[in-house]
Amino acid sequence: MIAIVEAARAGLLQPRNWPRNLAAGAVVGVVALPLAMAFAIASGVKPEQGLYTAIIAGIAVSLFGGSRVQIAGPTGAFIVILAGVVAQFGVEGLLVATLMAGVILVAMGLARMGAVIRFIPDPVIVGFTAGIAVIIWVGQWQYFFGLPTAGEGPFYLKAWQLLRAFPQMHLPTALLGLGSLVLALYGPRIPRLSRVPGPLIAMVVATAVAALFDLPGVATIESTFGAIPRSLPSLQLPSIGFDSVMLLLPSAFTIAMLGAIESLLSAVVADGMAGTRHDSNQELVGQGIANIVSPLFGGIAATGAIARTATSIRNGGNAPIAGVVHSVVLVLILLVIAPWAGKVPLCALAAILFVVAWNMSEAPRFLRMVRQAPRADVAILLITFALTILTDLVVAVNIGVILAMMEFMRRMSSSVEVVEHKQASLRQELAEAGLEALPDDVLVYSIDGPFFFGSVDSLERALSWSRSEPRYLALRLERVPFIDATGLKRLESTIHSLRGRGVQVLLNGARMGVLRKLVRADIVRRDTSGSYFKDLSEALLYIESLRTAPVDPPAP
């Protein structure tokens, strides 16, 4: 369900509901101002491009997304990826990659892959978000402390260069940055400022201090990136060629996947706070539209922003009106106070990003998972975290997901059991077959769990009898929820092997989906009797019929 349509049907677009959403949108717009500029600068683009992104994405996702309370815009999670794309392909390449990511997101939504994204395990998500937080934190040392620019190279080399450059720290910049950090954290505790966001307090006070005292050597947005234009962006079509598409496809896919994860996580959090229920597939479509339109006007990648969404809900936002108003507020700010926004010290924005990085890291959750989670999950968490820092996000997520899948398959395969049933547990089936005891030459086994490539060895291990082989083996399948191609092949080879040793296998009790696969694989034949039985009692009756009128039954 499209958010604006769902809100209209729920009566949330009525005039009586406007005041609370206007107030929430105004607050979020003010909150988004320093964050949008800070994320843009950290991503390697101009600060106004962050504002363009917040304006466009805020409107697009509010109208076309799947959550009526989602607030979208640039987020900290994208910084590492976008900065890497800009460094390698330039701003033009970033715009193309963002547009491609938008197309991928729309395709994922139309293919109804919203539910699949939620299956990415927590250790992977926590690991790479904590790794991104560390990279953001270290990456802002340059602006926070006034250090020389680090050279090119991997993260750990840049971090080492910055550490060695600390003796060259610019003291006024560092002191102003430290004061900004304190205000960003504790500003709302000041009397009469409890409802003013900490980042906004830090940005305003730091700008006023820098302008009032004319601090020498303190870098500002204007001195580093030029003046912020007091105008809305114009439509600009990025040049897209086949070669650039192929080169940027991995980056675009990474942006799309991270955007999908972030937006759906934010939507889930919003549901818990507002008591709503989002449409994950429509949310991907809305995010895709935002990322298609944003680069056409100079914007960068956007996704659902958890902090801004939560701020909107806490201030009364319950409809897409709040997201649209948030964008309108940013437009007014851009047109009215752009010259003053250029005076913001970069150390203040770095302090704001320090707070963002800490919140992203979810350090308490990370440490709790290290202490309490199973050892395999802890290993996946730490490997993903380390790879995010030491290599890049694409490698980290891919390896993390692969390791998580392998661990899942290991757990699934260990949960599959092939159990032998003794006479005491078969009283009902024996009674239905008119038997008082299980014949000595009959064994009954059941497969309990999914019979897939990771669990096929369980059957052969269980059938390694230590005593003389039976004449009949009744194999119960009612507890097999599914069977894959490897399971079918191994079952067929096991049956063939047992036949060669004079053991007749009687399959029974399969669920309809499993039975169809058995028939399609020609393990169970449609035109013969004795290849498959509805249940165990029917198979036992068949065995007794062979004793009274022996025939050679066709092999299953």
Side-chain angles (χ1 to χ4, degrees):
M1 176 65 71
I2 300 176
I4 191 69
V5 175
E6 193 268 341
R9 291 182 179 178
L12 297 176
L13 302 186
Q14 299 294 329
R16 65 178 181 274
N17 196 50
W18 278 61
R20 61 188 296 176
N21 284 282
L22 289 172
V27 172
V28 178
V30 172
V31 171
L33 173 64
L35 293 176
M37 293 192 297
F39 293 147
I41 292 171
S43 299
V45 299
K46 294 183 177 180
E48 61 264 27
Q49 291 181 267
L51 295 177
Y52 300 157
T53 305
I55 292 168
I56 295 168
I59 294 175
V61 172
S62 294
L63 297 181
F64 303 110
S67 170
R68 68 187 187 211
V69 293
Q70 182 85 282
I71 305 294
T75 65
F78 279 130
I79 289 175
V80 177
I81 302 171
L82 303 190
V85 175
V86 171
Q88 187 173 359
F89 302 104
V91 176
E92 183 77 9
L94 175 60
L95 300 181
V96 174
T98 302
L99 194 152
M100 291 168 59
V103 174
I104 293 172
L105 282 167
V106 171
M108 290 169 63
L110 296 178
R112 309 193 66 80
M113 294 181 65
V116 176
I117 300 298
R118 295 201 298 266
F119 294 151
I120 296 180
D122 266 1
V124 177
I125 295 175
V126 174
F128 79 69
T129 52
I132 291 172
V134 172
I135 294 174
I136 293 173
W137 175 59
V138 174
Q140 293 305 303
W141 288 357
Q142 171 189 342
Y143 298 125
F144 188 88
F145 297 106
L147 302 176
T149 303
E152 295 299 322
F155 167 80
Y156 55 87
L157 288 180
K158 292 181 180 178
W160 177 243
Q161 291 171 5
L162 289 172
L163 285 172
R164 294 181 61 186
F166 261 82
Q168 305 174 48
M169 178 178 61
H170 187 252
L171 188 58
T173 298
L175 292 175
L176 187 59
L178 183 61
S180 301
L181 180 60
V182 172
L183 287 173
L185 291 171
Y186 302 107
R189 298 185 183 182
I190 299 174
R192 300 184 182 180
L193 294 180
S194 59
R195 298 184 64 85
V196 181
L200 181 63
I201 297 173
M203 185 184 72
V204 171
V205 172
T207 303
V209 169
L212 183 62
F213 294 98
D214 191 22
L215 298 176
V218 174
T220 64
I221 290 177
E222 189 173 271
S223 66
T224 306
F225 301 99
I228 297 177
R230 294 178 61 180
S231 61
L232 294 176
S234 58
L235 178 66
Q236 48 183 346
L237 297 176
S239 58
I240 304 175
F242 181 78
D243 291 341
S244 62
V245 168
M246 291 295 101
L247 288 173
L248 290 167
L249 188 58
S251 299
F253 184 76
T254 305
I255 293 172
M257 288 299 297
L258 186 57
I261 294 170
E262 283 283 304
S263 64
L264 295 183
L265 284 176
S266 177
V268 170
V269 171
D271 286 347
M273 295 181 65
T276 57
R277 185 176 181 181
H278 74 280
D279 183 331
S280 57
N281 297 308
Q282 185 60 43
E283 181 64 20
L284 293 183
V285 173
Q287 297 291 339
I289 293 173
N291 283 281
I292 290 173
V293 178
S294 177
L296 299 180
F297 293 91
I300 58 177
T303 186
I306 296 177
R308 274 159 276 174
T309 300
T311 300
S312 174
I313 296 171
R314 291 192 191 104
N315 284 275
N318 66 348
I321 301 169
V324 175
V325 171
H326 136 272
S327 296
V328 172
V329 169
L330 286 173
V331 170
L332 295 176
I333 291 173
L334 182 66
L335 296 178
V336 175
I337 68 167
W340 289 276
K343 306 296 184 183
V344 176
L346 294 181
C347 60
L349 295 182
I352 293 170
L353 285 179
F354 276 10
V355 178
V356 170
W358 170 257
N359 292 332
M360 274 188 65
S361 70
E362 295 188 275
R365 183 183 179 190
F366 186 98
L367 295 175
R368 185 169 60 252
M369 190 173 289
V370 170
R371 291 194 305 266
Q372 301 175 357
R375 283 181 292 182
D377 289 337
V378 173
I380 293 170
L381 169 71
L382 297 178
I383 290 171
T384 306
F385 173 74
L387 289 175
T388 301
I389 295 174
L390 299 176
T391 57
D392 61 58
L393 185 63
V394 180
V395 173
V397 173
N398 286 342
I399 292 180
V401 170
I402 291 172
L403 290 175
M405 290 173 60
M406 294 175 64
E407 172 60 15
F408 172 76
M409 287 186 290
R410 186 192 68 81
R411 291 175 179 171
M412 287 292 291
S413 62
S414 63
S415 68
V416 177
E417 295 182 339
V418 179
V419 181
E420 180 181 1
H421 292 271
K422 302 296 184 180
Q423 181 170 307
S425 63
L426 299 174
R427 291 174 182 173
Q428 182 178 346
E429 289 83 356
L430 291 172
E432 291 174 357
L435 298 174
E436 294 183 358
L438 187 67
D440 292 336
D441 59 352
V442 177
L443 283 181
V444 178
Y445 275 80
S446 68
I447 301 176
D448 295 352
F451 198 58
F452 67 112
F453 63 90
S455 60
V456 290
D457 290 337
S458 302
L459 177 61
E460 293 186 356
R461 286 198 303 267
L463 298 184
S464 300
W465 299 293
S466 58
R467 53 192 172 91
S468 59
E469 292 182 346
R471 184 177 178 186
Y472 301 99
L473 171 65
L475 192 58
R476 306 177 70 174
L477 303 176
E478 60 261 30
R479 296 183 181 177
V480 178
F482 70 86
I483 185 170
D484 70 353
T486 306
L488 289 169
K489 181 65 177 177
R490 191 65 64 89
L491 181 60
E492 182 181 28
S493 64
T494 300
I495 292 173
H496 180 75
S497 174
L498 291 172
R499 271 194 65 210
R501 286 144 49 187
V503 180
Q504 179 67 43
V505 180
L506 308 176
L507 303 178
N508 60 90
R511 301 182 185 186
M512 187 55 65
V514 174
L515 180 57
R516 289 196 192 101
K517 293 180 180 180
L518 293 172
V519 172
R520 194 179 303 124
D522 204 30
I523 296 173
V524 171
R525 299 182 179 87
R526 300 173 185 271
D527 55 351
T528 59
S529 61
S531 63
Y532 175 77
F533 301 90
K534 181 181 67 174
D535 52 36
L536 178 60
S537 58
E538 189 177 282
L540 294 174
L541 282 172
Y542 178 76
I543 292 172
E544 287 305 303
S545 70
L546 294 180
R547 298 183 192 283
T548 57
V551 294
D552 292 329

Short mmCIF file of all heavy atoms in Angstrom, two decimals, residues 22 46 54 131 137 240 289 320 325 339 375 403:
data_model
loop_
_atom_site.label_atom_id
_atom_site.label_comp_id
_atom_site.label_asym_id
_atom_site.label_seq_id
_atom_site.Cartn_x
_atom_site.Cartn_y
_atom_site.Cartn_z
N LEU A 22 2.39 19.30 11.00
CA LEU A 22 3.14 20.50 10.65
C LEU A 22 4.24 20.76 11.68
O LEU A 22 5.38 21.09 11.32
CB LEU A 22 2.20 21.70 10.56
CG LEU A 22 1.23 21.73 9.37
CD1 LEU A 22 0.23 22.86 9.52
CD2 LEU A 22 2.01 21.89 8.06
N LYS A 46 29.51 18.48 -2.07
CA LYS A 46 29.24 19.79 -1.48
C LYS A 46 28.08 19.71 -0.49
O LYS A 46 27.17 18.89 -0.63
CB LYS A 46 28.93 20.80 -2.58
CG LYS A 46 30.11 21.09 -3.49
CD LYS A 46 29.77 22.14 -4.53
CE LYS A 46 30.98 22.47 -5.40
NZ LYS A 46 30.67 23.50 -6.41
N ALA A 54 17.96 15.60 0.96
CA ALA A 54 16.94 15.55 2.01
C ALA A 54 15.61 16.09 1.52
O ALA A 54 14.54 15.54 1.86
CB ALA A 54 17.42 16.33 3.23
N GLY A 131 31.34 -1.15 12.09
CA GLY A 131 32.54 -0.85 11.31
C GLY A 131 32.43 0.49 10.60
O GLY A 131 33.39 1.28 10.58
N TRP A 137 33.96 7.95 12.42
CA TRP A 137 34.59 8.61 13.57
C TRP A 137 36.03 9.00 13.25
O TRP A 137 36.43 10.16 13.43
CB TRP A 137 34.52 7.68 14.78
CG TRP A 137 35.24 8.20 15.99
CD1 TRP A 137 34.98 9.36 16.65
CD2 TRP A 137 36.33 7.57 16.67
NE1 TRP A 137 35.85 9.49 17.72
CE2 TRP A 137 36.67 8.41 17.75
CE3 TRP A 137 37.02 6.37 16.49
CZ2 TRP A 137 37.70 8.08 18.64
CZ3 TRP A 137 38.03 6.05 17.38
CH2 TRP A 137 38.37 6.89 18.43
N ILE A 240 25.35 8.79 -19.12
CA ILE A 240 25.36 7.36 -18.80
C ILE A 240 25.77 6.58 -20.05
O ILE A 240 25.09 6.65 -21.08
CB ILE A 240 23.99 6.88 -18.31
CG1 ILE A 240 23.53 7.70 -17.11
CG2 ILE A 240 24.01 5.40 -17.96
CD1 ILE A 240 22.14 7.37 -16.63
N ILE A 289 12.41 5.34 -6.10
CA ILE A 289 12.01 6.59 -6.78
C ILE A 289 12.84 7.75 -6.25
O ILE A 289 13.31 8.60 -7.03
CB ILE A 289 10.50 6.83 -6.57
CG1 ILE A 289 9.69 5.76 -7.31
CG2 ILE A 289 10.11 8.23 -7.04
CD1 ILE A 289 8.21 5.81 -7.02
N PRO A 320 2.19 11.15 6.14
CA PRO A 320 3.21 11.65 5.21
C PRO A 320 3.33 13.17 5.18
O PRO A 320 4.31 13.70 4.67
CB PRO A 320 2.73 11.11 3.86
CG PRO A 320 1.91 9.92 4.19
CD PRO A 320 1.23 10.24 5.48
N VAL A 325 6.42 18.34 4.91
CA VAL A 325 6.71 19.61 5.59
C VAL A 325 8.19 19.71 5.92
O VAL A 325 8.80 20.80 5.80
CB VAL A 325 5.85 19.73 6.86
CG1 VAL A 325 6.28 20.92 7.71
CG2 VAL A 325 4.38 19.85 6.49
N PRO A 339 23.49 31.97 3.12
CA PRO A 339 24.77 32.64 3.40
C PRO A 339 25.28 32.39 4.81
O PRO A 339 26.49 32.26 5.02
CB PRO A 339 24.44 34.12 3.18
CG PRO A 339 23.26 34.12 2.26
CD PRO A 339 22.45 32.92 2.66
N ARG A 375 28.98 -18.76 19.87
CA ARG A 375 30.33 -18.45 19.40
C ARG A 375 30.39 -18.25 17.88
O ARG A 375 31.14 -17.40 17.40
CB ARG A 375 31.29 -19.56 19.83
CG ARG A 375 31.70 -19.46 21.30
CD ARG A 375 32.66 -20.55 21.69
NE ARG A 375 32.04 -21.87 21.67
CZ ARG A 375 32.67 -22.99 22.00
NH1 ARG A 375 33.93 -22.95 22.37
NH2 ARG A 375 32.03 -24.15 21.98
N LEU A 403 29.12 -16.52 5.42
CA LEU A 403 29.41 -17.24 6.67
C LEU A 403 28.14 -17.53 7.44
O LEU A 403 27.98 -18.62 8.01
CB LEU A 403 30.38 -16.42 7.52
CG LEU A 403 31.81 -16.29 7.01
CD1 LEU A 403 32.61 -15.35 7.90
CD2 LEU A 403 32.49 -17.66 6.95
#
